Amino acid sequence: MTIHEFGKDNDKVIVLLHPSVVMWDYFEYVIPLLEKKYHLIIPALPGYDPDNKSDFTSVEEISAELEEWLNLNGLSNVTCLYSCSI
């Protein structure tokens, strides 16, 4: 799973999970607005990642992988997690 980050210098973390049938750049219009105040984490979910050809696994597996990535990167405090259609 490829993780895209924006606004890395900001303290407050927002995780954006794109809906099914679209790619991570679904959020392209809100990134310029949010990255000014927030550290954005936008994973390209398996099965919808043009940089990593893979099949969709499961919500549980994706959640575990994202949780592990956040912890390994010292991001244990997330201000907001937004998801739809997952």
Side-chain angles (χ1 to χ4, degrees), residues 4-22:
H4 301 275
E5 291 184 86
F6 303 89
K8 289 176 75 170
D9 293 333
N10 298 312
D11 291 330
K12 292 184 178 180
V13 175
I14 293 180
V15 178
L16 300 174
L17 299 172
H18 63 82
S20 299
V21 192
V22 298

Side-chain angles (χ1 to χ4, degrees), residues 53-74:
K53 299 294 182 200
S54 61
D55 292 328
F56 184 84
T57 52
S58 70
V59 172
E60 295 81 9
E61 194 170 316
I62 292 167
S63 297
E65 186 177 339
L66 181 57
E67 178 184 17
E68 180 181 359
W69 185 92
L70 289 166
N71 286 326
L72 287 172
N73 286 276

Side-chain angles (χ1 to χ4, degrees), residues 69-81:
W69 185 92
L70 289 166
N71 286 326
L72 287 172
N73 286 276
L75 301 170
S76 59
N77 188 11
V78 173
T79 301
C80 176
L81 187 142

